[in-house]
Amino acid sequence: MAFLTIQILNSLLYASVLFLIAAGLSLIFGVMRIINLAHGNLYAVGAYVTAWLVGRGIALGLPPGWLFLLLPLGALSVALIGIVIEPLLLRPFYRRAEEYQLLVTFGLIQILEDSIRFIWGGTPLSADALMDALPIIHIGGLLYPAYNLVVIGIGAVAALALWVAIYHTKFGVMLRATSQDRRMASALGLNVGLVYVMAFGIGCFMAGLGGAIVVPTQAAVLGMGIDALVIAFVVVVIGGLGSLKGALVGALVVSFVRTAGIQFFPELELAVLYLIAALVLLVRPTGLFGTA
């Protein structure tokens, strides 16, 4: 029973990080109709910035409790990058064919990856001091890091906060109105440009938060953004691109299947995920909760 509980917690841990990445990707697409190929590298930037900040905090002698306050700073730094990227690089391509948008975001992948390499080099960075600051708890006769429960809690709070913001606030009404008909929203007096900047910034914040909370459990390394992007696309293919509910359900499906796959058939765990995504596309080309 204890082993099963830990496997469930591991699945929820992975789902929390996946949801943050996929929700940001879906939010950007849902509002702006842009598939942001650089989203995974924004996740990587969040991980690197957080690890660097934690390292500086330790060097300055900050107590462990204060180090946890650096997690949102890593995510906010990615949001600031997104606020700069959207008007400068993406906005000129909204009225062009989708191929141009894909090329621009693909170019951003290279820019962000080389920027990471230039600033932090090829050495992996870690923020494991945050994990060490929390105790190890006992589940049955097995040990489990308490920090993992913090990650699950952050994922749950982020999901709830995003749902409230989109469906129960005036800003959410603006987001949904802009996503449904940009021209009509502009004619009604909405500042569509500001909505786009805020939507892209929030989507980038979600990706950065995913990187920030995962870096205490695994080192930030070059190439981690591409790996995260591939799995995030599997999530949104299953759940439906542009759907918050789809991002949540897709993250849970992928995480539980992958946890079981690693445990019982590690050679096939990725193949099973791609097979599930292919079957979903055959039955519902827009995903479980996506719309045409």
Side-chain angles (χ1 to χ4, degrees), residues 1 8 36 38 42 48 63 81 97 114 117 127 138 155 183 185 200 203 224 238 245 255 269 288 290:
M1 188 63 184
I8 293 174
N36 182 20
L42 291 169
Y48 269 93
I81 293 173
D114 286 346
R117 192 190 306 272
H138 294 267
R183 292 183 179 180
F200 196 81
M224 65 182 297
I238 293 174
K245 184 191 296 184
S255 61
E269 50 102 2
L288 296 177

Side-chain angles (χ1 to χ4, degrees), residues 166-213:
I166 292 176
Y167 294 106
H168 295 278
T169 65
K170 182 179 179 180
F171 174 68
V173 173
M174 295 167 59
L175 280 180
R176 286 180 282 132
T178 304
S179 67
Q180 292 174 10
D181 194 326
R182 180 178 62 85
R183 292 183 179 180
M184 181 60 71
S186 180
L188 292 173
L190 290 182
N191 188 339
V192 174
L194 180 61
V195 172
Y196 276 11
V197 168
M198 296 181 70
F200 196 81
I202 293 172
C204 292
F205 176 86
M206 298 293 284
L209 183 60
I213 64 176

Side-chain angles (χ1 to χ4, degrees), residues 61-79:
L62 291 179
W66 285 90
L67 295 179
F68 283 93
L69 299 178
L70 300 177
L71 293 177
L73 293 182
L76 285 172
S77 67
V78 179

Side-chain angles (χ1 to χ4, degrees), residues 34-287:
I34 286 182
I35 299 177
N36 182 20
L37 296 180
H39 201 69
N41 279 47
L42 291 169
Y43 156 83
V45 170
Y48 269 93
V49 171
T50 302
W52 179 81
L53 287 174
V54 170
R56 299 286 72 76
I58 293 173
L60 293 174
L62 291 179
W66 285 90
L67 295 179
F68 283 93
L69 299 178
L70 300 177
L71 293 177
L73 293 182
L76 285 172
S77 67
V78 179
L80 292 176
I81 293 173
I83 289 173
V84 173
I85 287 175
E86 191 278 329
L88 291 182
L89 296 180
L90 297 181
R91 192 170 296 179
F93 294 91
Y94 289 155
R95 290 183 173 85
R96 296 195 181 187
E98 293 179 355
E99 292 82 357
Y100 291 94
Q101 300 170 5
L102 292 174
L103 285 173
V104 170
T105 56
F106 180 78
L108 279 173
I109 293 177
Q110 312 304 321
I111 293 172
L112 292 172
E113 186 76 10
D114 286 346
S115 298
I116 291 172
R117 192 190 306 272
F118 176 76
I119 296 172
W120 290 288
T123 304
L125 297 182
S126 177
D128 53 4
L130 294 179
M131 177 172 278
D132 296 338
L134 295 179
I136 302 294
I137 62 176
H138 294 267
I139 299 177
L142 302 176
L143 302 178
Y144 195 75
Y147 178 80
N148 290 2
L149 300 179
V150 173
V151 173
I152 295 171
I154 291 174
V157 171
L160 179 61
L162 195 59
W163 178 75
V164 170
I166 292 176
Y167 294 106
H168 295 278
T169 65
K170 182 179 179 180
F171 174 68
V173 173
M174 295 167 59
L175 280 180
R176 286 180 282 132
T178 304
S179 67
Q180 292 174 10
D181 194 326
R182 180 178 62 85
R183 292 183 179 180
M184 181 60 71
S186 180
L188 292 173
L190 290 182
N191 188 339
V192 174
L194 180 61
V195 172
Y196 276 11
V197 168
M198 296 181 70
F200 196 81
I202 293 172
C204 292
F205 176 86
M206 298 293 284
L209 183 60
I213 64 176
V214 82
V215 76
T217 65
Q218 64 182 56
V221 296
L222 293 174
M224 65 182 297
I226 299 299
D227 296 337
L229 181 67
V230 171
I231 301 299
F233 270 122
V234 174
V235 171
V236 296
V237 163
I238 293 174
L241 189 57
S243 169
L244 179 62
K245 184 191 296 184
L248 179 58
V249 173
L252 289 170
V253 170
V254 169
S255 61
F256 275 90
V257 170
R258 193 168 191 189
T259 299
I262 292 173
Q263 184 64 38
F264 299 109
F265 40 90
E267 299 84 0
L268 299 175
E269 50 102 2
L270 284 177
V272 171
L273 290 178
Y274 298 141
L275 177 61
I276 293 173
L279 291 175
V280 170
L281 287 177
L282 287 174
V283 177
R284 281 187 59 88
T286 58

